[in-house]
Amino acid sequence: MSRPVRALSGAALIGAAGGLRSTWGAAALSWSAGAATGPPGEPPWLARPAVRGLLPAAAAGEFVADKNPATPSRLQSAGLVPRLVFGALTGAAVALRDGPPATPTDPEPPLSPVAGAVGAGAALAAALAGARRRTTGPRRRRSAAPVAAAVEDLVAAALALAACALCTPGAPARHFGPDEETARPPSGDGAPGDVAD
């Protein structure tokens, strides 16, 4: 899988996680950062101790609040705007985590703006889908509401973790395309193109 496809797929996954549970994608990114400065290219604030403490606390608070029937709809501005913001931020961060920025020797266009838009779009789609699911079946059967919320928790966690696993720095090796085969360095085994001594 090429880096752009991998980065945008990761942005869609983590954006969808944020659409279901606004802070869970950011919390997963922060806790999977590892080192004190985070992976190369990723915003370093994600790995700071204060952030690594605040985001899981916010995720836990959201976990509890979501089970409260008095919690307003996620489609109201107070619930939707943070989902879109976190979707955009985490989508861009996943693209930055997936590899370093372009260099003069590897002039690949920056992916983070596109990934941010993909993350925000996925967050919106997931928020709409989650709200629709929670207001159809559980509305008819109130006893099903906790089960629906628990399933949504599992889906959000799985999406966030899958995005982090997919975009681990340097995981997939770069493959040579058909036009790049001739650019490989000589192997010295006498193959065509080797330079004689």
Side-chain angles (χ1 to χ4, degrees):
M1 186 185 293
S2 67
R3 179 181 171 244
V5 171
R6 192 171 59 246
L8 296 181
S9 298
L13 289 171
I14 207 155
L20 297 175
R21 299 286 181 271
S22 60
T23 56
W24 286 27
L29 274 178
S30 180
W31 272 92
S32 63
T37 56
E42 187 175 85
W45 59 267
L46 275 170
R48 290 180 181 160
V51 174
R52 295 185 78 186
L54 287 173
L55 284 174
E62 192 174 5
F63 174 83
V64 174
D66 181 72
K67 311 301 182 292
N68 186 350
T71 301
S73 168
R74 73 189 72 190
L75 300 183
Q76 293 183 8
S77 58
L80 188 59
V81 170
R83 283 171 164 79
L84 298 180
V85 170
F86 273 111
L89 290 176
T90 55
V94 158
L96 292 170
R97 167 178 287 200
D98 191 48
T103 64
T105 57
D106 187 15
E108 190 171 307
L111 290 171
S112 53
V114 178
V118 168
L124 176 60
L128 291 170
R132 179 179 176 81
R133 185 177 187 280
R134 296 284 288 274
T135 56
T136 52
R139 177 184 290 176
R140 300 192 191 102
R141 294 185 309 160
R142 291 292 180 184
S143 61
V147 175
V151 169
E152 203 170 280
D153 290 335
L154 292 174
V155 172
L159 290 170
L161 294 175
C164 293
L166 181 65
C167 296
T168 299
R174 182 183 178 192
H175 298 285
F176 287 91
D179 296 333
E180 293 177 283
E181 286 291 336
T182 55
R184 289 178 183 256
S187 59
D189 58 1
D194 286 354
V195 179
D197 293 332

